[in-house]
Amino acid sequence: MSPHRENHDPTLGITAAAHLPERGPRAVREGARTETAALPPPITAAAPVHEHITDALKTPDLIRLGGNVVLARFETMKVYAALGAVRTLLHHGRIVRGQTLIDSSSGIYALALAMACHRYGLRCHIVASTTVDSVMRAQLEVLGATVDQMPPSRNLRLDQERRVRRVRELLADRPDFHWMRQYHDSIHYAGYREFADLVTGTLPDAPLTVVGAVGTGASTGGLVQALRGTGRTVRLVGIQPFGSVTFGSEHFNDPEAIIAGIGSSIPFENVRHELYDTMHWVDFRHAMAGAIGLLQEHATFAGLSTGATHLVSSWEAERDPERLHLVLGADTGHRYAERVFARHTEAQDMRTLRPRPIQALDELRPPWSVMEWGRRPDPAAVRPGGCPGTNSVEPVSSVEVTP
């Protein structure tokens, strides 16, 4: 066999180029040489023609980061959540075409919901976080969404509280609006069944560890719940920023935190704590190191939450090299160009970083802690009540709905 022919890696069940020269900064440092003339010819393959951009965006790029680590890098992962929820609501008659859907968002859910509304003939109203930048706002407005953006704030809890208050004000004036409640309504789990099918069809049927930011709970929880429902052995590793109430770190303050989307300064009802096996808490500087490291070593430009998952999955995979690890990359790095990537010279070398193992939440300390969660319930033991819409309709599959 030619040393440059493609081979099949049984550990992942996917095709990998064998014996190609090493690429990236490490290759340059060690004097590695790339022989472009010896590379195999490109493979011609058919590509699907999509009826709407959301069908293209919901399929991630699958990138091998190591022998037992695969990154699912999305442009916006929450397309699955928004499409699944909107289709289910239309199917059950909870909403009708032409109606306005409203929700609060720190960015990527807003874009996903606006695109879902564009696809299904709905209006969209976003109450946006102060962290939503001008590029994201422009996309939302061109898509036809109305954008209410909160004033600048260094306090993410205040930002979230302001957004919820504004949504309630709008609903009082416009009861015909439908509040999507991405933070509370588990209808957003529905879309991730399709992602689970993709994982099942692509990766081998072996014990799997999923590593991802908790966020609203729908992405990590929805994927793993669907995978476990097939009988597959799946371990779920969640990631939180310091300052999040969801897994008990609200008494800490990370002054540089701009990753509110992976945690919560207010209770999120659709996070199912009992799905998680291990929890990591990561500060801004460590997430930044992961994001810069991912670009340096793998030429992959991804967001800050993906940086946190890359850091955590690298450590997890070292501890369990025989297990396949699937890393969830929620979005690209464009929103963090100035606040993270322009500061790349400040980044620590992620390979030198290690977490502090803890046994209980009262031992939690920045900048990086890890705890075996053991699928225990919500530590607060009390969930906010009276959230209409939660579990109120049976999810439907990703098939197209009829008018």
Side-chain angles (χ1 to χ4, degrees), residues 161-230:
E161 289 174 345
R162 281 174 170 170
R163 283 187 271 147
V164 173
R165 191 181 311 124
R166 177 58 178 156
V167 170
R168 293 188 184 279
E169 290 172 355
L170 290 164
L171 288 170
D173 290 337
R174 295 295 305 270
D176 56 309
F177 283 14
H178 180 86
W179 188 3
M180 292 298 294
R181 302 178 68 82
Q182 66 150 327
Y183 303 137
H184 305 298
D185 196 336
S186 57
I187 197 173
H188 291 90
Y189 277 57
Y192 291 101
R193 291 179 180 177
E194 187 177 353
F195 182 28
D197 290 342
L198 184 151
V199 171
T200 298
T202 305
L203 300 182
D205 186 15
L208 179 68
T209 293
V210 173
V211 185
V214 174
T216 64
S219 55
T220 47
L223 171 62
V224 167
Q225 185 169 271
L227 287 171
R228 287 176 182 163
T230 68

Side-chain angles (χ1 to χ4, degrees), residues 26 33 47 64 114 122 158 174 177 216 254 258 268 343 353 378:
R26 187 180 298 164
R33 200 158 51 91
R64 190 205 299 265
L122 296 151
L158 177 60
R174 295 295 305 270
F177 283 14
T216 64
D254 185 353
I258 54 173
F268 286 178
R343 298 167 56 187
L353 305 177
D378 184 351

Side-chain angles (χ1 to χ4, degrees), residues 30 86 143 165 171 201 212 217 227 258 323 348 351:
E30 296 175 0
V86 168
L143 281 167
R165 191 181 311 124
L171 288 170
L227 287 171
I258 54 173
R323 194 179 185 96
Q348 303 171 81
R351 292 170 295 183

Side-chain angles (χ1 to χ4, degrees), residues 102-126:
I102 184 171
D103 212 349
S104 161
S105 175
S106 60
I108 59 174
Y109 178 79
L111 183 57
L113 183 61
M115 288 190 290
C117 288
H118 179 275
R119 179 170 190 167
Y120 291 115
L122 296 151
R123 295 186 176 90
C124 184
H125 193 122
I126 298 296

